[in-house]
Amino acid sequence: MSQRVLSWSRARAAAGGWGWRGTDALVRGAVGGLGLIACGVVLHRVELVFLGAPLLVSTVLALAVPVGTVPVPTVARLPRTVEAGDDGLQTITFPADAGVEFLAVRLPVPDGAGIGPVHLVPGSAESIRVRLRWNAWGEGVDLRPDHLVAGRDALLISGPVTGRESRRTVLPPVVPLPPGPLPPRIAGLVGAHRSARPGDGTELRAVRPFQPGDRVRRVDWRVTLRAGAATGDVLGPGTLHVRERHAEADAELMLAIDSRVDVVPELARWFDSDDSAVRAGGTLDASVRAVAALAAGYLRQGDRVGLIDLGRPQLGIAPGAGHRQLLRIRHQLVACSRAAGWAPKPVLRARQVPSGAVVLVLSPFLDDAIADCVALAARRGELVIAVDMLPPTLIADTESPWGEVVRQVLVGEHRARLAALKARGVAVVPCGAVAATLRRVRRRR
């Protein structure tokens, strides 16, 4: 008997070392059962012994089952990068011993808007499966299995324990957007745009007489035979004619995003510190989505696209082409939003913009610094287009007596900045009119 009691005490000590601790049910079962039996013996009351004995016996029988080590949930690995709007099935495994009665697992929601559902899982269950859906783009925690483990009759518990965070990068969505024509670069050698100079493109430029240096494969034999028939000399001087074609040039587009400010239509929420770094429906969210859509459209037609962060120039990306460049830009947009914050002076240096590239500046234009930065780039001879991302309707703060006055002042200053940019030759357009503006600029050039 003494050996059994010794082994039981050792098991309880090991359970305490593994992270188990007793609950109020254990205290009530042990102390209440012993107390009722002792009172029954002292007072010679049999009914008290009959009440305390089952309580004590059930407590001892529950503790006799070893609980073992505390089970730690393990989460199956999913891709570190997913697309916005995707969903996935996540498996959480529980290596529990026989002494575990149940597990309570809480899964906080990804956006932090609530505590998340709590799943009660029996100890015999090996795993649960949870479906995750990534609606918002960005980088953050999408799964954290907080858990609490209970032994037999919940006399011993371990937890609650904050689970290991599962972080993931959700790329901004790509909305189909028809791109407009970009002006070709003078230094471009290959590309999808017609250049004014002759070359080896596919579009006919003119039919002219043969000159020394022309290739024989460019000879237009139909025109040559007609010219020879008219002069009576089929291959005489002046009868050979060649087809001259336009050279094909590439074009470069630099997308400059203003990550210094992120505002929403409600003026009362402009300085709300409780909001996350990127507000849903704010100017930064709209700018990131617009940059992803514009980059996808122009990269699809063969142009070279780069990224500029006006608030943090070290986060920019040099121009590139192809699907890999689109992935780089989307990843970098997440990095720009993670580091977003106020910077007193936007940076748009000349070395950030390649020669002949078109610059699209996406900003709400809420301060004079960004307007001066865009005007300076236009004075350097760069083709700059200002894309106004400020919400079209601002809602005044109804709790302040100066709410409407503040709204009118902000709207008036914003209009004055845009008018000053237009006076300096900078086109100011909404996000949806970029293609039409580029088409007009192409025809003008």
Side-chain angles (χ1 to χ4, degrees):
M1 183 68 180
S2 61
Q3 185 68 23
R4 184 173 300 177
V5 173
L6 182 61
S7 62
W8 180 83
S9 62
R10 289 177 179 174
R12 299 282 70 77
W18 288 331
W20 296 94
R21 69 176 188 275
T23 61
D24 294 340
L26 175 60
V27 176
R28 288 193 298 266
V31 177
L34 288 174
L36 288 175
I37 293 175
C39 291
V41 172
V42 173
L43 300 177
H44 302 284
R45 301 288 298 272
V46 180
E47 62 273 15
L48 295 179
V49 176
F50 286 160
L51 290 176
L55 188 60
L56 180 61
V57 171
S58 62
T59 302
V60 172
L61 292 177
L63 293 176
V65 182
V67 291
T69 59
V70 178
V72 179
T74 58
V75 180
R77 300 183 64 178
L78 286 179
R80 293 295 303 273
T81 303
V82 295
E83 298 281 344
D86 290 352
D87 56 3
L89 199 60
Q90 185 71 282
T91 302
I92 305 175
T93 307
F94 306 97
D97 294 332
V100 176
E101 185 78 19
F102 67 89
L103 299 93
V105 182
R106 188 186 73 175
L107 303 175
V109 293
D111 55 1
I115 62 174
V118 177
H119 301 265
L120 290 177
V121 183
S124 59
E126 296 181 355
S127 63
I128 61 173
R129 308 185 76 181
V130 182
R131 181 166 293 278
L132 301 177
R133 183 172 180 83
W134 301 279
N135 295 319
W137 63 269
E139 186 180 32
V141 179
D142 59 0
L143 184 65
R144 193 187 69 207
D146 302 340
H147 56 280
L148 182 144
V149 186
R152 297 290 180 179
D153 295 339
L155 301 181
L156 296 175
I157 63 170
S158 176
V161 179
T162 301
R164 182 177 297 179
E165 296 178 348
S166 175
R167 306 184 69 89
R168 219 164 309 282
T169 300
V170 184
L171 298 179
V174 176
V175 180
L177 187 66
L182 294 176
R185 295 192 309 150
I186 299 177
L189 298 178
V190 293
H193 299 276
R194 189 191 73 178
S195 176
R197 65 182 186 273
D200 295 329
T202 59
E203 188 172 350
L204 181 63
R205 185 171 184 264
V207 178
R208 58 173 176 79
F210 184 88
Q211 297 176 357
D214 289 336
R215 299 180 180 179
V216 178
R217 63 184 179 87
R218 292 182 180 178
V219 174
D220 190 335
W221 295 107
R222 292 185 179 181
V223 178
T224 299
L225 292 176
R226 287 198 298 267
T231 59
D233 189 1
V234 178
L235 296 178
T239 58
L240 284 176
H241 287 72
V242 296
R243 285 177 172 264
E244 187 177 77
R245 303 181 184 276
H246 285 281
E248 292 182 346
D250 59 2
E252 289 186 344
L253 175 67
M254 298 301 298
L255 300 171
I257 184 172
D258 189 1
S259 62
R260 305 176 304 131
V261 291
D262 183 18
V263 296
V264 292
E266 298 83 5
L267 297 182
R269 294 178 52 199
W270 278 25
F271 301 101
D272 190 358
S273 59
D274 295 335
D275 286 353
S276 58
V278 179
R279 313 184 193 192
T283 55
L284 185 55
D285 181 28
S287 299
V288 168
R289 294 174 182 267
V291 167
L294 290 169
Y298 286 100
L299 287 172
R300 191 178 298 114
Q301 74 175 9
D303 297 324
R304 296 168 56 85
V305 181
L307 179 66
I308 298 175
D309 190 338
L310 298 175
R312 286 148 187 83
Q314 68 274 11
L315 299 179
I317 296 180
H323 181 67
R324 179 172 295 183
Q325 179 70 3
L326 178 59
L327 290 178
R328 289 184 60 198
I329 291 177
R330 296 171 70 190
H331 277 278
Q332 200 66 16
L333 287 173
V334 176
C336 293
S337 64
R338 185 174 61 249
W342 172 249
K345 184 179 180 181
V347 178
L348 183 58
R349 303 185 180 95
R351 63 173 179 267
Q352 294 177 274
V353 182
S355 176
V358 179
V359 183
L360 294 182
V361 180
L362 293 88
S363 173
F365 295 98
L366 291 177
D367 59 339
D368 295 336
I370 183 64
D372 295 339
C373 179
V374 174
L376 179 61
R379 284 200 299 269
R380 291 197 298 258
E382 301 168 0
L383 177 56
V384 184
I385 298 177
V387 183
D388 182 20
M389 302 303 298
L390 189 69
T393 303
L394 297 180
I395 303 175
D397 186 4
T398 57
E399 297 183 358
S400 174
W402 299 94
E404 181 60 26
V405 177
V406 172
R407 188 193 69 83
Q408 294 179 3
V409 170
L410 288 173
V411 172
E413 291 180 347
H414 180 257
R415 291 176 179 174
R417 294 187 191 96
L418 299 186
L421 289 177
K422 293 179 181 179
R424 296 177 182 180
V426 179
V428 181
V429 298
C431 185
V434 173
T437 304
L438 289 173
R439 196 172 292 110
R440 289 196 301 269
V441 172
R442 176 72 175 267
R443 286 198 299 264
R444 191 183 310 149
R445 289 198 169 190

